[in-house]
Amino acid sequence: MTGELSPIDTAKFAAARRAADIVENGMQVGLGTGSTAAWLVRCLGERVCDTGLQIKCVPTSARTATLAREVGIDVISLNEAKWLDLTIDGADEFDGDGHLIKGGGGALLWEKIVATASDRMVVIADSHKKVECLGAFPLPVELIPFGWETTKKLVEQVLITLGFEEQNSILRMNGDQNYRTDEGNHIIDLHLHRIPEPRQLASLLNQVPGVVESGLFVDTCDTVIVGFGDGGVEVRDIEKK
Ligand code: 5RP
């Protein structure tokens, strides 16, 4: 399944393989999106085909759904599942409190809904994703298309109120078209450099009409499995405050 991997892919694969071992027979599992989550889906597919593991999975994007079906995983909708035992997903950044930036791959809305509807969220990430303070990675914010330029300005006003002086919000593009999420929405990426109060920012962004969700995942993650370039892993359980 792996062939010759770069250190970064070795780290992603190692974290994903460890997370796949947590999954037990009969579980309903949320499947994340991105290159690390794709390794997880392949590892789970291998367990399903080789050992007869019986699971039902809810993917967080159309592309994860396609991959999951390809590797033999039973895919159901969140409405069918109603609630999940576990969600395993990647992240763009995680801090020491287990707060995350997600949405680099554009799937933040379904990812947040699925993670919230789970007894446990496990994040799988290579060690470079660990930060002291969130924000070096641009924060994705999903907006509905109606009046998105006005919504973007309202978001910028919130940032000014919070004292973000050096900020830059950029509409995500797909070639020469505005990027569309699986829900048909747009994304703006906020270049904030440092987000010292992620809880406050997440709450204020969600109050702007037209904002569907932000990529700040606060108090959502229960465990981070960190992968390293030599194939080692570290499992960190997050103490919720
Ligand atoms: C997609 C995400 C991904 O989990 C995040 O972008 C990490 O991706 P990768 O595993 O490819 O580094 O949030 O919306």
Side-chain angles (χ1 to χ4, degrees):
M1 175 167 54
T2 55
E4 190 69 24
L5 293 183
S6 66
I8 198 96
D9 281 325
T10 301
K12 290 177 182 194
F13 174 67
R17 191 174 49 185
R18 172 64 68 89
D21 290 343
I22 300 171
V23 175
E24 294 171 13
N25 224 20
M27 276 188 168
Q28 298 201 130
V29 183
L31 302 176
T33 295
S35 55
T36 320
W39 282 120
L40 168 84
V41 174
R42 291 186 200 106
C43 289
L44 284 178
E46 206 171 66
R47 284 191 64 196
V48 166
C49 294
D50 295 354
T51 70
L53 176 74
Q54 297 216 355
I55 50 173
K56 290 184 189 303
C57 293
V58 175
T60 54
S61 62
R63 59 188 182 277
T64 296
T66 301
L67 177 62
R69 288 195 182 97
E70 273 170 18
V71 299
I73 291 175
D74 191 0
V75 169
I76 59 171
S77 70
L78 184 55
N79 282 341
E80 287 169 307
K82 295 187 175 56
W83 197 259
L84 303 169
D85 299 287
L86 173 68
T87 284
I88 304 170
D89 199 349
D92 298 301
E93 283 185 352
F94 65 94
D95 69 12
D97 295 322
H99 303 325
L100 317 171
I101 287 184
K102 287 186 51 54
L108 62 127
L109 178 58
W110 291 10
E111 289 173 338
K112 195 174 280 189
I113 294 171
V114 167
T116 304
S118 304
D119 284 340
R120 182 178 178 201
M121 183 200 195
V122 173
V123 164
I124 47 178
D126 66 83
S127 56
H128 302 94
K129 306 278 183 71
K130 168 80 170 70
V131 294
E132 287 307 312
C133 180
L134 296 177
F137 191 91
L139 173 65
V141 177
E142 184 159 341
L143 314 180
I144 67 162
F146 177 82
W148 69 266
E149 290 184 57
T150 302
T151 306
K152 181 170 175 285
K153 287 214 165 59
L154 289 171
V155 166
E156 287 160 2
Q157 276 170 19
V158 166
L159 297 175
I160 289 165
T161 311
L162 289 174
F164 285 99
E165 282 159 15
E166 265 190 75
Q167 44 133 318
N168 206 353
S169 61
I170 296 178
L171 180 71
R172 196 179 291 187
M173 302 298 289
N174 184 9
D176 58 358
Q177 304 284 312
N178 294 359
Y179 179 87
R180 295 267 183 177
T181 68
D182 282 342
E183 286 290 342
N185 293 320
H186 299 323
I187 288 183
I188 51 173
D189 292 299
L190 308 183
H191 295 248
L192 302 176
H193 310 296
R194 274 177 62 81
I195 305 175
E197 303 276 356
R199 191 186 310 277
Q200 179 194 42
L201 179 58
S203 160
L204 290 175
L205 287 173
N206 277 17
Q207 288 172 33
V208 176
V211 168
V212 187
E213 252 319 329
S214 83
L216 280 171
F217 284 51
V218 176
D219 290 335
T220 312
C221 167
D222 298 286
T223 303
V224 183
I225 301 181
V226 188
F228 295 88
D230 64 359
V233 291
E234 188 182 313
V235 181
R236 298 184 192 167
D237 286 319
I238 305 298
E239 270 184 44
K240 298 269 169 84
K241 291 174 186 159

mmCIF file of all heavy atoms in Angstrom, residues 12 33-37 63 89-92 101-108 111 124 126 129 137, ligand 1:
data_model
loop_
_atom_site.group_PDB
_atom_site.id
_atom_site.type_symbol
_atom_site.label_atom_id
_atom_site.label_comp_id
_atom_site.label_asym_id
_atom_site.label_seq_id
_atom_site.Cartn_x
_atom_site.Cartn_y
_atom_site.Cartn_z
ATOM 1 N N LYS A 12 2.629 10.757 8.225
ATOM 2 C CA LYS A 12 1.172 10.736 8.062
ATOM 3 C C LYS A 12 0.648 9.298 8.110
ATOM 4 O O LYS A 12 -0.359 9.000 8.755
ATOM 5 C CB LYS A 12 0.776 11.388 6.729
ATOM 6 C CG LYS A 12 0.999 12.888 6.700
ATOM 7 C CD LYS A 12 0.658 13.483 5.338
ATOM 8 C CE LYS A 12 0.934 14.985 5.339
ATOM 9 N NZ LYS A 12 0.348 15.678 4.217
ATOM 10 N N THR A 33 -10.991 14.213 5.921
ATOM 11 C CA THR A 33 -10.614 14.567 4.549
ATOM 12 C C THR A 33 -9.173 15.063 4.533
ATOM 13 O O THR A 33 -8.727 15.689 5.502
ATOM 14 C CB THR A 33 -11.574 15.646 4.016
ATOM 15 O OG1 THR A 33 -12.876 15.084 3.931
ATOM 16 C CG2 THR A 33 -11.167 16.162 2.644
ATOM 17 N N GLY A 34 -8.478 14.801 3.420
ATOM 18 C CA GLY A 34 -7.094 15.272 3.288
ATOM 19 C C GLY A 34 -6.165 14.088 3.081
ATOM 20 O O GLY A 34 -6.598 12.926 3.080
ATOM 21 N N SER A 35 -4.865 14.394 2.927
ATOM 22 C CA SER A 35 -3.915 13.330 2.590
ATOM 23 C C SER A 35 -3.691 12.382 3.770
ATOM 24 O O SER A 35 -3.512 11.169 3.571
ATOM 25 C CB SER A 35 -2.593 13.939 2.125
ATOM 26 O OG SER A 35 -2.085 14.820 3.101
ATOM 27 N N THR A 36 -3.708 12.893 5.003
ATOM 28 C CA THR A 36 -3.512 12.015 6.169
ATOM 29 C C THR A 36 -4.737 11.126 6.361
ATOM 30 O O THR A 36 -4.634 9.919 6.603
ATOM 31 C CB THR A 36 -3.242 12.852 7.439
ATOM 32 O OG1 THR A 36 -2.385 13.944 7.111
ATOM 33 C CG2 THR A 36 -2.591 12.023 8.525
ATOM 34 N N ALA A 37 -5.921 11.753 6.237
ATOM 35 C CA ALA A 37 -7.163 10.973 6.370
ATOM 36 C C ALA A 37 -7.269 9.927 5.260
ATOM 37 O O ALA A 37 -7.832 8.844 5.474
ATOM 38 C CB ALA A 37 -8.363 11.916 6.348
ATOM 39 N N ARG A 63 -14.912 13.451 -1.867
ATOM 40 C CA ARG A 63 -13.729 12.680 -2.297
ATOM 41 C C ARG A 63 -13.382 11.578 -1.296
ATOM 42 O O ARG A 63 -12.934 10.506 -1.701
ATOM 43 C CB ARG A 63 -12.539 13.591 -2.594
ATOM 44 C CG ARG A 63 -12.042 14.458 -1.494
ATOM 45 C CD ARG A 63 -10.993 15.420 -2.066
ATOM 46 N NE ARG A 63 -10.418 16.287 -1.059
ATOM 47 C CZ ARG A 63 -10.978 17.408 -0.641
ATOM 48 N NH1 ARG A 63 -12.138 17.799 -1.130
ATOM 49 N NH2 ARG A 63 -10.381 18.168 0.272
ATOM 50 N N ASP A 89 -9.660 12.325 11.861
ATOM 51 C CA ASP A 89 -9.481 13.340 10.820
ATOM 52 C C ASP A 89 -8.097 13.968 10.947
ATOM 53 O O ASP A 89 -7.475 13.897 12.016
ATOM 54 C CB ASP A 89 -10.582 14.419 10.984
ATOM 55 C CG ASP A 89 -10.790 15.242 9.719
ATOM 56 O OD1 ASP A 89 -9.979 15.147 8.787
ATOM 57 O OD2 ASP A 89 -11.774 16.010 9.686
ATOM 58 N N GLY A 90 -7.646 14.593 9.911
ATOM 59 C CA GLY A 90 -6.389 15.329 9.933
ATOM 60 C C GLY A 90 -6.602 16.745 10.451
ATOM 61 O O GLY A 90 -7.697 17.110 10.885
ATOM 62 N N ALA A 91 -5.536 17.546 10.407
ATOM 63 C CA ALA A 91 -5.634 18.957 10.814
ATOM 64 C C ALA A 91 -4.527 19.733 10.105
ATOM 65 O O ALA A 91 -3.505 19.162 9.710
ATOM 66 C CB ALA A 91 -5.490 19.094 12.324
ATOM 67 N N ASP A 92 -4.756 21.033 9.979
ATOM 68 C CA ASP A 92 -3.717 21.898 9.416
ATOM 69 C C ASP A 92 -2.778 22.399 10.513
ATOM 70 O O ASP A 92 -1.586 22.621 10.261
ATOM 71 C CB ASP A 92 -4.365 23.064 8.670
ATOM 72 C CG ASP A 92 -5.197 22.556 7.511
ATOM 73 O OD1 ASP A 92 -4.624 21.883 6.635
ATOM 74 O OD2 ASP A 92 -6.419 22.780 7.507
ATOM 75 N N ILE A 101 -6.795 24.211 13.659
ATOM 76 C CA ILE A 101 -7.248 24.849 12.420
ATOM 77 C C ILE A 101 -7.429 23.728 11.412
ATOM 78 O O ILE A 101 -6.539 22.879 11.228
ATOM 79 C CB ILE A 101 -6.247 25.883 11.884
ATOM 80 C CG1 ILE A 101 -6.273 27.145 12.758
ATOM 81 C CG2 ILE A 101 -6.586 26.254 10.433
ATOM 82 C CD1 ILE A 101 -5.399 28.278 12.266
ATOM 83 N N LYS A 102 -8.615 23.712 10.788
ATOM 84 C CA LYS A 102 -8.913 22.749 9.749
ATOM 85 C C LYS A 102 -9.550 23.479 8.564
ATOM 86 O O LYS A 102 -9.930 24.626 8.678
ATOM 87 C CB LYS A 102 -9.888 21.673 10.265
ATOM 88 C CG LYS A 102 -9.209 20.687 11.227
ATOM 89 C CD LYS A 102 -10.104 19.534 11.626
ATOM 90 C CE LYS A 102 -10.751 18.816 10.503
ATOM 91 N NZ LYS A 102 -9.854 18.305 9.458
ATOM 92 N N GLY A 103 -9.633 22.755 7.449
ATOM 93 C CA GLY A 103 -10.301 23.335 6.289
ATOM 94 C C GLY A 103 -9.371 23.670 5.149
ATOM 95 O O GLY A 103 -9.808 24.202 4.130
ATOM 96 N N GLY A 104 -8.072 23.341 5.315
ATOM 97 C CA GLY A 104 -7.145 23.535 4.201
ATOM 98 C C GLY A 104 -7.635 22.811 2.948
ATOM 99 O O GLY A 104 -7.458 23.274 1.829
ATOM 100 N N GLY A 105 -8.288 21.677 3.176
ATOM 101 C CA GLY A 105 -8.834 20.899 2.056
ATOM 102 C C GLY A 105 -10.262 21.269 1.715
ATOM 103 O O GLY A 105 -10.886 20.627 0.860
ATOM 104 N N GLY A 106 -10.805 22.274 2.398
ATOM 105 C CA GLY A 106 -12.124 22.807 2.036
ATOM 106 C C GLY A 106 -13.314 22.057 2.614
ATOM 107 O O GLY A 106 -14.456 22.361 2.273
ATOM 108 N N ALA A 107 -13.060 21.101 3.518
ATOM 109 C CA ALA A 107 -14.170 20.252 3.997
ATOM 110 C C ALA A 107 -14.596 20.589 5.427
ATOM 111 O O ALA A 107 -15.242 19.795 6.094
ATOM 112 C CB ALA A 107 -13.760 18.786 3.903
ATOM 113 N N LEU A 108 -14.251 21.809 5.889
ATOM 114 C CA LEU A 108 -14.412 22.112 7.314
ATOM 115 C C LEU A 108 -15.835 21.978 7.835
ATOM 116 O O LEU A 108 -16.049 21.575 8.977
ATOM 117 C CB LEU A 108 -13.888 23.517 7.607
ATOM 118 C CG LEU A 108 -14.597 24.671 6.899
ATOM 119 C CD1 LEU A 108 -15.062 25.723 7.876
ATOM 120 C CD2 LEU A 108 -13.663 25.283 5.884
ATOM 121 N N GLU A 111 -16.742 18.345 8.194
ATOM 122 C CA GLU A 111 -15.822 17.827 9.217
ATOM 123 C C GLU A 111 -16.273 18.236 10.615
ATOM 124 O O GLU A 111 -16.230 17.440 11.558
ATOM 125 C CB GLU A 111 -14.403 18.348 8.956
ATOM 126 C CG GLU A 111 -13.752 17.710 7.733
ATOM 127 C CD GLU A 111 -12.419 18.334 7.352
ATOM 128 O OE1 GLU A 111 -12.154 19.494 7.730
ATOM 129 O OE2 GLU A 111 -11.647 17.669 6.660
ATOM 130 N N ILE A 124 -5.212 12.974 13.504
ATOM 131 C CA ILE A 124 -3.960 12.346 13.056
ATOM 132 C C ILE A 124 -3.167 13.399 12.276
ATOM 133 O O ILE A 124 -3.722 14.067 11.396
ATOM 134 C CB ILE A 124 -4.229 11.092 12.190
ATOM 135 C CG1 ILE A 124 -5.302 11.355 11.113
ATOM 136 C CG2 ILE A 124 -4.645 9.928 13.062
ATOM 137 C CD1 ILE A 124 -5.572 10.162 10.194
ATOM 138 N N ASP A 126 1.081 14.840 11.119
ATOM 139 C CA ASP A 126 2.536 14.770 11.226
ATOM 140 C C ASP A 126 3.005 15.849 12.199
ATOM 141 O O ASP A 126 2.287 16.817 12.456
ATOM 142 C CB ASP A 126 3.190 14.898 9.847
ATOM 143 C CG ASP A 126 2.971 16.256 9.242
ATOM 144 O OD1 ASP A 126 3.722 17.183 9.584
ATOM 145 O OD2 ASP A 126 2.017 16.401 8.450
ATOM 146 N N LYS A 129 2.661 19.828 12.241
ATOM 147 C CA LYS A 129 1.378 20.536 12.421
ATOM 148 C C LYS A 129 1.233 21.098 13.846
ATOM 149 O O LYS A 129 0.295 21.833 14.129
ATOM 150 C CB LYS A 129 0.206 19.590 12.130
ATOM 151 C CG LYS A 129 0.256 18.902 10.768
ATOM 152 C CD LYS A 129 -0.260 19.806 9.689
ATOM 153 C CE LYS A 129 -0.309 19.168 8.308
ATOM 154 N NZ LYS A 129 -1.315 18.165 8.120
ATOM 155 N N PHE A 137 -1.053 29.061 9.871
ATOM 156 C CA PHE A 137 -1.823 28.547 8.724
ATOM 157 C C PHE A 137 -3.054 29.434 8.542
ATOM 158 O O PHE A 137 -3.770 29.724 9.507
ATOM 159 C CB PHE A 137 -2.258 27.095 8.990
ATOM 160 C CG PHE A 137 -2.820 26.418 7.769
ATOM 161 C CD1 PHE A 137 -2.000 25.699 6.916
ATOM 162 C CD2 PHE A 137 -4.169 26.531 7.460
ATOM 163 C CE1 PHE A 137 -2.513 25.095 5.773
ATOM 164 C CE2 PHE A 137 -4.694 25.931 6.323
ATOM 165 C CZ PHE A 137 -3.861 25.213 5.472
HETATM 166 C C1 5RP B 1 -9.541 19.283 5.110
HETATM 167 C C2 5RP B 1 -8.772 19.333 6.372
HETATM 168 C C3 5RP B 1 -7.563 18.446 6.477
HETATM 169 O O1 5RP B 1 -7.718 17.619 7.577
HETATM 170 C C4 5RP B 1 -6.355 19.287 6.624
HETATM 171 O O2 5RP B 1 -6.298 20.183 5.532
HETATM 172 C C5 5RP B 1 -5.082 18.444 6.682
HETATM 173 O O3 5RP B 1 -4.817 17.896 5.427
HETATM 174 P P1 5RP B 1 -3.554 16.963 5.170
HETATM 175 O O4 5RP B 1 -3.760 15.722 5.960
HETATM 176 O O5 5RP B 1 -3.585 16.725 3.671
HETATM 177 O O6 5RP B 1 -2.325 17.723 5.598
HETATM 178 O O7 5RP B 1 -9.077 20.030 7.308
HETATM 179 O O8 5RP B 1 -10.591 20.214 5.116
#
